Amino acid sequence: MTNDQNLRSLLEAVANGKVTPDIALNSLKNLAYEPVGEFAKIDNHRALRTGFPEVIWGPGKTPEQIVQIIEVMRQRNPVVMATRIEPSVYAVLQSKVRGLQYYELARICAITPETIEPHFPGEIGILSAGTADLPVAEEAAITAELSGFRVQRLWDVGVAGIHRLLSNRHLIESASVLIVVAGMEGALPSVVAGLANCPVIAVPTSIGYGASFGGLAPLLTMLNSCAAGVGVVNIDNGFGAAVLAGQILRTAMKLSEE
């Protein structure tokens, strides 16, 4: 009961007399939220409200807590995802959670169907300035793919060797939304936005020498971009960038259907 189609089917079955109100009530009683022990409350309603289900934030939780949350969420969601899961934590989780996959570079654990076909139109292009930015870029890419969006990757095309970017302009031109991940001075999103005819989401990373201040320097560069049409998310927030890109594409789809 955590997506529009299933909820509509249940309500139609009640209206047609095929399902009793008591059975429907049992299906819906935990829709708003569902407690997990004394430490978590799962927001089962989030996908209905926002289009994206709740995702588990890994840091600060014990492996045992993550296991319990996953087991509750998998009963109501075809895809369950946990972010920022370190390999040592995954080693504990995999022995306790059936069917758990691990995307090591992105540090994401997930339970998914055997295949996930893109079910939204458009394409999210994701660019990284350097190889060191890949964990954040892959977090964005895996999040978008598990959410049902088509993704095209382009890695290591920073401004220090700008010919690498310019020789791949076809990806910029074909994308519906672009996510650009960069550390150091954070110049790449401005360059990309000057070439693109679609929204650009800039993601500063904490990669860089001392004066980068753990990502603050690229964050300020991106906020001060001279190119129009650049939105900026928080430092290292590949997950948030993917959700924002997805919301842009979902909004475009809704407008096309009106």
Side-chain angles (χ1 to χ4, degrees):
M1 294 302 107
T2 55
N3 64 62
D4 289 345
Q5 183 176 353
N6 289 346
L7 183 57
R8 181 180 295 275
S9 297
L10 176 64
L11 296 176
E12 288 176 349
V14 173
N16 295 330
K18 296 179 180 179
V19 173
T20 67
D22 286 341
I23 292 175
L25 177 62
N26 188 60
S27 298
L28 297 172
K29 65 182 180 182
N30 290 318
L31 185 59
Y33 68 85
E34 188 170 357
V36 181
E38 299 293 329
F39 55 84
K41 294 179 177 65
I42 306 304
D43 183 4
N44 292 322
H45 206 177
R46 189 172 303 183
L48 285 171
R49 293 195 317 271
T50 71
F52 292 89
E54 184 171 15
V55 169
I56 302 163
W57 169 255
K61 296 183 177 70
T62 67
E64 291 73 22
Q65 289 172 334
I66 296 172
V67 168
Q68 290 183 59
I69 294 170
I70 289 174
E71 293 298 348
V72 171
M73 291 181 67
R74 76 185 308 171
Q75 297 174 35
R76 298 182 179 275
N77 299 278
V79 175
V80 179
M81 187 168 76
T83 64
R84 302 298 169 97
I85 302 296
E86 298 298 337
S88 59
V89 176
Y90 172 67
V92 177
L93 298 181
Q94 69 170 333
S95 64
K96 299 183 178 183
V97 180
R98 172 179 48 85
L100 191 65
Q101 300 182 57
Y102 188 49
Y103 303 88
E104 184 172 4
L105 187 55
R107 293 179 294 169
I108 287 174
C109 279
I111 295 172
T112 69
E114 287 188 11
T115 58
I116 299 180
E117 296 295 332
H119 50 270
F120 293 102
E123 181 177 273
I124 300 174
I126 305 181
L127 290 71
S128 81
T131 304
D133 301 310
L134 285 185
V136 176
E138 268 296 313
E139 181 181 74
I142 296 299
T143 298
E145 288 175 337
L146 294 181
S147 300
F149 295 94
R150 185 174 292 103
V151 170
Q152 181 74 277
R153 294 165 170 83
L154 181 59
W155 298 160
D156 196 25
V157 289
V159 297
I162 201 167
H163 56 289
R164 300 171 298 180
L165 175 68
L166 298 178
S167 65
N168 286 280
R169 285 190 62 177
H170 60 281
L171 186 147
I172 297 173
E173 293 166 356
S174 66
S176 308
V177 183
L178 288 162
I179 296 173
V180 184
V181 183
M184 297 289 186
E185 83 293 357
L188 183 61
S190 291
V191 176
V192 171
L195 301 171
N197 65 352
C198 65
V200 174
I201 301 168
V203 187
T205 72
S206 51
I207 300 301
Y209 293 103
S212 176
F213 296 108
L216 184 59
L219 171 64
L220 294 176
T221 296
M222 294 171 187
L223 289 172
N224 284 286
S225 173
C226 63
V230 178
V232 186
V233 299
N234 208 345
I235 298 167
D236 290 337
N237 192 7
F239 170 80
V243 172
L244 177 56
Q247 293 287 39
I248 291 170
L249 293 184
R250 290 179 66 251
T251 300
M253 184 178 71
K254 284 196 297 184
L255 291 173
S256 69
E257 293 172 348
E258 291 181 355

